[in-house]
Amino acid sequence: LWMAFAVFYQLHKMLVAARKARRHYPPSLRRITIESISIHSFSAIMASLTLIPLDWIPRATASTGCESFPDVEHKGQLIFYWSFFLPITSLIPTILVTGFSIDVWWKKLLPVNGKTRELIFYFSRLLAVIYMVTIAVIISFFFHSWVQSIAFVAFNLTGFFQVCLALFKKDVRKAWIRMWKCQNTVEDKVPSSSDGESVSNADIMV
């Protein structure tokens, strides 16, 4: 969810810059790498909390379906889960992304041109993934049996659904096909200044 938030944040910055008629500079490869490593490291730390032998931290055991859900009869675990673990892993990024979405809608940041449909679909995909994960986590806590199983399946297939939805975007699909064909994802020929055209780094990015 935090990775989706990072992408959503950059999209929001791009839309704000476009609205103000300012040039938008995409994040550098160094910043993307740092953010990605930071988010994955944070995820690893949160996942490792269940290995700490403390009574008030939920443990992932066979009886809990290998999920770190709190024991409903253990007050300490319930407080830890609902006041810290769930908010910091699911609720906070969901609320932040919802705020960005409301801001985009309220300020009418989406451009009125042919790319509006693609941007709306891209935003919708990110929102769908974020809400699906959050709802699946909450449902899996309050429900059991087949309802919980369906929630677990939806949660575990989130990455697959995200890839499928992303491929509906033409440029993403094109880059994905070129990657599997072991082709360069940047245009093979970049016009030079001698051709009478000025090309920036943003123009050749996929």
Side-chain angles (χ1 to χ4, degrees), residues 6-204:
V7 175
F8 217 98
Y9 174 73
Q10 293 299 330
L11 285 174
H12 184 266
K13 285 183 60 178
M14 179 188 69
L15 292 176
V16 170
R19 183 69 173 179
K20 295 181 178 180
R22 297 177 181 175
R23 184 175 180 83
H24 173 69
Y25 296 94
S28 64
L29 179 60
R30 180 175 180 273
R31 177 172 178 176
I32 294 174
T33 302
I34 292 175
E35 289 185 358
S36 179
I37 293 175
S38 299
I39 292 174
H40 282 90
S41 299
F42 170 75
S43 300
I45 292 173
M46 295 302 297
S48 300
L49 290 179
T50 59
L51 302 177
I52 300 177
L54 293 176
D55 185 58
W56 47 272
I57 294 181
R59 302 293 301 276
T61 62
S63 61
T64 61
C66 294
E67 299 291 339
S68 56
F69 286 132
D71 186 349
V72 294
E73 298 180 357
H74 196 296
K75 186 177 180 180
Q77 291 187 5
L78 289 173
I79 293 176
F80 172 81
Y81 184 79
W82 289 104
S83 64
F84 175 75
F85 191 83
L86 185 63
I88 203 171
T89 57
S90 300
L91 298 183
I92 292 178
T94 301
I95 292 173
L96 291 175
V97 167
T98 302
F100 280 139
S101 302
I102 294 174
D103 187 64
V104 168
W105 170 76
W106 185 261
K107 296 181 179 179
K108 299 180 180 179
L109 296 179
L110 287 175
V112 185
N113 54 35
K115 293 186 178 297
T116 300
R117 180 178 176 275
E118 289 189 2
L119 284 173
I120 291 177
F121 186 82
Y122 204 75
F123 270 93
S124 301
R125 177 181 69 85
L126 288 174
L127 283 174
V129 170
I130 290 174
Y131 285 126
M132 184 172 70
V133 171
T134 303
I135 293 173
V137 170
I138 294 176
I139 288 178
S140 61
F141 178 81
F142 288 104
F143 295 89
H144 302 282
S145 187
W146 62 272
V147 177
Q148 187 183 63
S149 299
I150 293 177
F152 284 156
V153 170
F155 179 83
N156 291 323
L157 291 180
T158 298
F160 174 75
F161 292 148
Q162 190 170 6
V163 170
C164 292
L165 290 173
L167 291 177
F168 278 96
K169 198 168 185 292
K170 186 177 180 180
D171 56 341
V172 175
R173 183 170 64 253
K174 181 179 178 181
W176 186 79
I177 293 174
R178 290 172 68 89
M179 179 192 70
W180 281 104
K181 290 182 178 180
C182 297
Q183 298 175 345
N184 192 357
T185 55
V186 181
E187 294 297 331
D188 296 327
K189 181 180 179 181
V190 179
S192 61
S193 57
S194 61
D195 297 327
E197 296 181 13
S198 175
V199 180
S200 64
N201 292 334
D203 296 325
I204 63 175

